[in-house]
Amino acid sequence: MTVFSSEYHVGDDERKGGKNYYAAAVVCSVMLIILGITTFFVGRKNAYEIDTVPSFEAAIDEGRYDEALEIYRGIQDEVLKASPENQENNAVKIQMLTDMENIVRERVDSLCDRIIASRYVLTASDINFLNSMKELTSSVVSERMYGICEDFLLGNIEKPVVMYFFEQLSPIGNFAATANPLLRELDFIETATGDVQTAESAFNEGDYISAVKKYTQVDQNYDGFVGDYCDKRVTTIKALMYEPMMAEGEHMLQTSKFYSAEQLFSDLAVIFPEDEMIKSNLLTATSYTSEVREYRGQIEVICVRSLIADTDIAFSSRIHAGDTGLYLTTYEFEKILENLYERDYVLVDPENLIDMSDPTFLLERNLKVPKGKKPLIVVIENLQYSASAYNVGTCRRLVLNDESQVCGEYVNAAGETVVSRTAEAIGILDTFVEKHPEFTYDGAKGIVSVSGYEACFGYVVSRDEVDDRNAALSAANMPQINPTAEEIQYNRDRVTEIANVLSDNGWKFANCTYSYIQDCTNTEKPVLIEDTEKWLEQIGSLFGEVHMLVYPNGNYIPGKDDRAVYFKNHGFRIFFGGGASPYYTYGDNYLYLDRAMMSYVTLNRKVYEELFDYKQIIDPARPVPEGT
């Protein structure tokens, strides 16, 4: 049991604790008083800050300009004298100054805009405001004076308007200090207007190099306002152009556009003379270029269909294959390229033969090729991948691999799906150019012609194709399809994705009619119109602008024929017919070329001896014809 004493004794330690308690209480009281005083003054301070800008604006509204200017300068002095450690408070005052400056700017801009737009005459009240607000109005008016001179230089405003603007403002206060030098330069500004507008037009069109060149040229001829403006524009454009143009040039190197890359990096080296990366890229480009000359001779155009990727399927005696004589094997196509390369042929873009800037009139261009080279155009015919050709060992569709390279996909004799760049002419040609960059002039590859019959690149891209596709699948003893709208859209997206990769790597596209019309020569115009409308809507919409048309089987329509005029009116300006010997001609708003069809049954034509050695071309996997 615990016993508590009725007496309570306070020891020395407890007495000391009591004294500490009273001391703490006193300290807290003092702190509360200080806090209250501080809060009072801070509140007054915040109220003062909140009230300052409205007071400034009210003083201007009531014409008390000296008072308004005193308010502004007082805050400005506080900012200049403020301790660097007190940044938060200083930021508030800087914002107050900005708000006051904006109030003045808005009023000055309103007066200037009225002077420019309607020849407004400043009143005594306007002049008093502009004169009394000293440095606040002077800075804005100076900016507007320089601004109107820039507009005059750029052709956005007429000289009489500029003169009237200065006439109204230059007599006020110290505005003449800015106005008079500019007035003395107006004639020089007027003289430079045309060249500056040319430079600015180039800039607006994204031609940064021409813009910088022109501005630099003008800068060399003018001092003062024009020179300063040109310097400023050159600095701005150089900052904008560097990264995108470096990326563009490096992409040119990656896609074998060495001549364009050489030109680009040569121009950039002048603009950025100290840049080592530009020098290195220029050296890379020039290592793959040579002297270029105009070419006026024959232009070879060869054409191939889908290639036989699996010779086991194509030539197996166990399978009743289709007519393999219409197709080359991958081996044969590669051998043709090797022979052409050894005989100094170089791939060119047929669109380099014409200027299509005017839709109603086509201008001839002189084709340029590296010295000692002969131009070559490659056409891949009707790359739709009909199911009817599966038993010939061709690919079934185009796909992209993990490196975004275009590949052919086929099912081999063992029933395995194979994806390979060298299964189709596109990948074989791309690979060949990678090994032999000099085989292309500035990255040109070939032309892929596409129809809409049954599929495009092996994908059903419209409901109209389904019935034809199913008919071909049925004939090949394969399952029918019934794609949903979502699946068709997915296929369209895949074709567009592949087309974009091809285009980026130098390939061009052509229409070979939606239905792959066998004899366009004898087809009535209404049929061609209906067919073309379907092609443009269902196929052309996947490829962007297409300017070439490849006539199936070479059955062309003469250029002045009303049907050919219809094609031209819908953007087709280059036409390919058929013929073993090279031939091309310019007609009324079009260019026509013959193409030589390459197939197993045509390889031994005598006319092809200049292109390749027939004996080197034939695939050893082909069966030896009976009787040989």
Side-chain angles (χ1 to χ4, degrees):
M1 179 178 177
T2 304
V3 178
F4 292 93
S5 171
S6 61
E7 295 180 345
Y8 180 69
H9 300 279
V10 180
D12 291 339
D13 290 340
E14 289 171 314
R15 289 191 185 97
K16 291 177 182 177
K19 292 178 181 178
N20 290 340
Y21 170 78
Y22 290 121
V26 171
V27 170
C28 288
S29 298
V30 172
M31 289 179 65
L32 287 171
I33 293 170
I34 293 172
L35 180 61
I37 295 171
T38 302
T39 302
F40 172 75
F41 282 107
V42 169
R44 289 191 62 186
K45 183 179 180 182
N46 289 339
Y48 164 70
E49 291 176 347
I50 293 171
D51 188 54
T52 298
V53 175
S55 297
F56 173 84
E57 187 169 18
I60 291 179
D61 289 339
E62 297 167 9
R64 295 180 281 112
Y65 302 126
D66 289 343
E67 183 179 335
L69 200 57
E70 184 178 350
I71 293 172
Y72 176 83
R73 289 173 175 173
I75 301 298
Q76 190 177 55
D77 287 342
E78 292 180 21
V79 169
L80 294 174
K81 295 176 182 177
S83 169
E85 290 79 17
N86 194 8
Q87 291 299 320
E88 182 176 349
N89 186 47
N90 211 31
V92 172
K93 295 186 184 306
I94 291 173
Q95 183 59 51
M96 292 167 63
L97 291 175
T98 301
D99 292 342
M100 288 185 276
E101 290 164 1
N102 287 337
I103 290 170
V104 173
R105 178 179 295 277
E106 182 178 345
R107 296 172 187 236
V108 174
D109 281 339
S110 176
L111 292 173
C112 291
D113 290 341
R114 292 167 71 185
I115 293 171
I116 294 170
S118 59
R119 292 200 167 223
Y120 175 72
V121 178
L122 294 174
T123 66
S125 176
D126 297 331
I127 295 172
N128 187 30
F129 162 69
L130 293 170
N131 192 40
S132 299
M133 290 307 293
K134 307 293 183 184
E135 68 270 17
L136 284 174
T137 50
S138 292
S139 62
V140 180
V141 170
S142 292
E143 290 178 18
R144 292 302 300 258
M145 286 179 172
Y146 278 98
I148 198 170
C149 287
E150 286 188 4
D151 283 338
F152 179 43
L153 183 62
L154 294 169
N156 298 327
I157 200 166
E158 298 296 329
K159 189 174 184 179
V161 177
V162 179
M163 296 296 294
Y164 184 78
F165 183 83
F166 280 104
E167 179 184 316
Q168 286 291 304
L169 291 170
S170 56
I172 301 172
N174 62 351
F175 295 172
T178 301
N180 289 341
L182 291 174
L183 282 169
R184 287 193 294 269
E185 292 198 58
L186 280 185
D187 289 341
F188 295 107
I189 294 173
E190 186 174 26
T191 303
T193 295
D195 288 335
V196 168
Q197 289 179 34
T198 298
E200 200 62 20
S201 177
F203 170 75
N204 291 331
E205 293 171 0
D207 188 356
Y208 298 140
I209 289 175
S210 294
V212 170
K213 285 182 176 179
K214 194 64 178 177
Y215 270 125
T216 302
Q217 177 188 348
V218 178
D219 187 26
Q220 292 171 348
N221 296 327
Y222 292 90
D223 295 321
F225 178 86
V226 174
D228 291 343
Y229 180 81
C230 291
D231 283 341
K232 181 176 66 175
R233 291 301 289 150
V234 167
T235 300
T236 299
I237 297 171
K238 286 173 67 173
L240 288 172
M241 70 186 287
Y242 183 81
E243 289 189 8
M245 299 212 72
M246 285 294 287
E248 179 184 354
E250 288 166 359
H251 184 68
M252 288 176 179
L253 294 177
Q254 294 168 3
T255 53
S256 302
K257 296 179 177 68
F258 298 114
Y259 291 86
S260 292
E262 179 181 13
Q263 181 63 57
L264 176 61
F265 286 119
S266 294
D267 289 334
L268 291 178
V270 174
I271 297 171
F272 303 96
E274 304 301 322
D275 193 289
E276 295 299 325
M277 182 58 70
I278 291 175
K279 294 177 183 178
S280 175
N281 287 338
L282 177 58
L283 181 61
T284 300
T286 54
S287 65
Y288 292 104
T289 60
S290 58
E291 182 184 349
V292 173
R293 64 177 177 85
E294 288 189 358
Y295 180 88
R296 296 181 180 274
Q298 296 177 336
I299 300 175
E300 292 286 352
V301 183
I302 67 169
C303 182
V304 299
R305 299 181 177 88
S306 303
L307 303 181
I308 295 173
D310 192 310
T311 54
D312 289 340
I313 291 179
F315 307 128
S316 172
S317 60
R318 301 188 304 274
I319 298 176
H320 299 289
D323 188 358
T324 58
L326 296 175
Y327 302 90
L328 299 178
T329 68
T330 55
Y331 174 93
E332 289 163 345
F333 181 67
E334 187 165 6
K335 287 297 181 181
I336 288 175
L337 295 182
E338 290 175 359
N339 273 245
L340 291 167
Y341 172 70
E342 291 169 359
R343 299 182 186 204
D344 294 321
Y345 283 93
V346 62
L347 295 168
V348 297
D349 181 353
E351 292 187 354
N352 287 339
L353 285 160
I354 59 175
D355 179 349
M356 296 184 289
S357 57
D358 188 332
T360 63
F361 185 79
L362 183 144
L363 295 174
E364 299 180 21
R365 274 184 179 170
N366 293 328
L367 182 65
K368 294 181 179 180
V369 296
K371 187 177 181 179
K373 298 291 185 178
K374 296 171 287 187
L376 170 71
I377 297 171
V378 174
V379 178
I380 303 178
E381 179 91 350
N382 190 24
L383 215 55
Q384 58 156 340
Y385 294 113
S386 171
S388 62
Y390 288 175
N391 61 354
V392 184
T394 62
C395 289
R396 299 193 176 188
R397 63 177 182 173
L398 295 180
V399 296
L400 296 177
N401 63 14
D402 292 340
E403 298 177 44
S404 291
Q405 297 166 324
V406 177
C407 303
E409 179 184 283
Y410 66 96
V411 177
N412 64 17
E416 302 165 328
T417 298
V418 180
V419 174
S420 172
R421 291 185 79 190
T422 56
E424 188 50 275
I426 289 172
I428 291 173
L429 185 53
D430 281 342
T431 303
F432 194 85
V433 169
E434 289 167 10
K435 294 178 182 177
H436 307 286
E438 61 275 22
F439 187 56
T440 175
Y441 175 58
D442 210 28
K445 295 292 178 59
I447 300 163
V448 179
S449 75
V450 287
S451 68
Y453 180 76
E454 190 181 326
C456 179
F457 289 176
Y459 299 86
V460 173
V461 296
S462 72
R463 177 55 56 181
D464 286 340
E465 294 176 335
V466 175
D467 289 344
D468 294 322
R469 187 65 157 179
N470 279 332
L473 289 170
S474 178
N477 297 316
M478 298 182 69
Q480 305 286 286
I481 61 170
N482 185 26
T484 64
E486 290 76 14
E487 289 170 331
I488 289 176
Q489 184 58 51
Y490 175 85
N491 289 344
R492 293 181 65 81
D493 292 342
R494 297 291 73 73
V495 170
T496 298
E497 185 180 15
I498 294 168
N500 288 339
V501 172
L502 288 172
S503 178
D504 194 46
N505 283 280
W507 290 88
K508 297 293 178 71
F509 305 103
N511 171 12
C512 59
T513 74
Y514 184 88
S515 305
Y516 197 66
I517 298 172
Q518 295 292 317
D519 186 6
C520 287
T521 305
N522 296 306
T523 301
E524 297 295 328
K525 184 178 179 181
V527 176
L528 292 174
I529 290 176
E530 181 182 1
D531 183 272
T532 302
E533 288 176 349
K534 288 177 67 174
W535 191 92
L536 290 170
E537 178 184 355
Q538 299 178 21
I539 306 301
S541 57
L542 303 174
F543 293 92
E545 291 189 10
V546 175
H547 302 292
M548 292 180 272
L549 190 149
V550 176
Y551 285 110
N553 297 322
N555 296 319
Y556 71 96
I557 299 172
K560 293 186 178 180
D561 189 295
D562 190 48
R563 296 168 296 171
V565 173
Y566 169 80
F567 286 138
K568 289 183 284 186
N569 289 341
H570 284 76
F572 301 106
R573 315 285 288 281
I574 302 177
F575 298 88
F576 291 89
S581 299
Y583 171 78
Y584 74 96
T585 184
Y586 292 97
D588 180 16
N589 197 23
Y590 73 93
L591 168 65
Y592 172 88
L593 304 98
D594 270 337
R595 72 190 191 279
M597 199 70 214
M598 300 285 114
S599 67
Y600 173 66
V601 297
T602 65
L603 289 181
N604 62 351
R605 289 178 175 174
K606 188 174 182 62
V607 71
Y608 294 161
E609 289 180 355
E610 293 186 11
L611 303 179
F612 47 75
D613 184 342
Y614 168 75
K615 296 177 182 178
Q616 294 180 9
I617 302 302
I618 304 304
D619 193 329
R622 281 192 182 272
V624 178
E626 295 182 8
T628 59

